[in-house]
């Protein structure tokens, strides 16, 4: 996967997968909390908040480059690595979400799904934001992984959504998950 557009398409496909798998859940199913303590609604809320923050950081990194004041001027220690390798090197088996992306549990699942769908038009602006720049130079610090470039940030959106998709699917198989 080489291009920004391919990465955006992969993030959108992951988003569609988790939305389509959970769109028809009942309020009881959406609110059910499993062993991890999060409901389906909380997972989707977290994904919305995380994607908004991640795309904002790409935007800020691009603007920093244009102004000659990069967000991260240090070494790009993960240069050229796919996000899976970065995660393998930097994450513990169980990580906690950053406070800014912690779900607070307000709003029904249908609201968070609508908000998640609304992330795509902003994500589609990223090529324009990066126009004339080398995306590998648009670096910002991820709170767990350290410096990520725009390519890796976009890969992270897909990776992160797929990770939560798997967690939600396990939650829906948990003992006590409502039938309706």
């Amino acid at each position: 996967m080489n291009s920004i557009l391919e990465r955006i398409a992969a993030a959108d496909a992951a988003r569609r997968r988790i939305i389509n798998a959970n769109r028809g859940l009942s309020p009881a199913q959406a609110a059910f909390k499993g062993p991890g303590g999060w409901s389906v609604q909380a997972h989707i809320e977290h994904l919305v908040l995380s994607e908004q923050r991640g795309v904002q950081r790409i935007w800020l990194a691009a603007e920093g480059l244009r102004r000659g004041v990069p967000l991260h001027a240090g070494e790009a220690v993960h240069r050229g690595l796919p996000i899976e390798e970065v995660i393998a090197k930097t994450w513990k088996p169980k990580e906690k979400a950053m406070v800014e992306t912690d779900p607070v549990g307000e709003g029904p699942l249908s609201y968070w799904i609508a908000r998640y769908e609304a992330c795509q038009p902003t994500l589609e602006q990223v090529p324009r934001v990066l126009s004339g720049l080398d995306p590998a130079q648009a670096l910002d610090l991820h709170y767990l992984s350290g410096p990520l470039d725009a390519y890796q940030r976009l890969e992270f959106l897909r990776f992160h959504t797929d990770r939560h998709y798997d967690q939600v699917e396990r939650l829906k198989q948990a003992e006590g998950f409502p039938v309706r």
Side-chain angles (χ1 to χ4, degrees):
M1 183 178 333
N2 294 328
S3 79
I4 293 295
L5 292 176
E6 288 172 315
R7 288 171 172 88
I8 289 170
D12 184 44
R15 186 186 316 104
R16 294 260 144 248
R17 198 168 28 257
I18 196 167
I19 286 171
N20 291 338
N22 295 290
R23 187 183 297 279
L25 296 181
S26 71
Q29 290 170 322
F32 176 80
K33 292 182 180 178
W38 281 16
S39 64
V40 173
Q41 177 273 321
H43 282 276
I44 302 297
E45 179 183 353
H46 168 70
L47 287 168
V48 169
L49 299 173
S50 295
E51 181 163 332
Q52 289 173 334
R53 181 169 175 80
V55 172
Q56 177 191 32
R57 301 311 295 182
I58 293 170
W59 223 287
L60 290 168
E63 290 307 310
L65 279 178
R66 282 200 172 80
R67 288 191 328 269
V69 185
L71 289 184
H72 178 71
E75 185 180 350
V77 296
H78 307 305
R79 183 166 313 284
L81 295 179
I83 198 63
E84 286 80 5
E85 285 185 42
V86 175
I87 300 288
K89 287 173 53 174
T90 59
W91 286 27
K92 298 178 206 137
K94 176 97 170 127
E95 290 288 2
K96 289 184 59 86
M98 64 187 309
V99 173
E100 295 86 348
T101 65
D102 270 345
V104 296
E106 295 178 3
L109 178 61
S110 59
Y111 168 78
W112 288 108
I113 285 176
R115 289 276 310 272
Y116 202 22
E117 290 173 318
C119 288
Q120 185 62 21
T122 305
L123 185 59
E124 289 173 356
Q125 293 299 310
V126 168
R128 179 185 60 76
V129 169
L130 293 169
S131 180
L133 300 173
D134 177 358
Q137 298 300 316
L139 292 166
D140 182 40
L141 294 177
H142 182 273
Y143 90 111
L144 291 172
S145 296
L148 298 181
D149 64 29
Y151 292 123
Q152 292 162 329
R153 280 271 181 187
L154 292 170
E155 289 175 8
F156 181 80
L157 295 178
R158 185 246 333 132
F159 171 88
H160 188 234
T161 301
D162 285 345
R163 180 180 173 97
H164 281 275
Y165 175 88
D166 292 343
Q167 292 170 354
V168 167
E169 289 305 303
R170 284 193 302 275
L171 173 63
K172 289 167 32 180
Q173 299 303 313
E175 186 176 330
F177 187 80
V179 176
R180 284 183 245 186

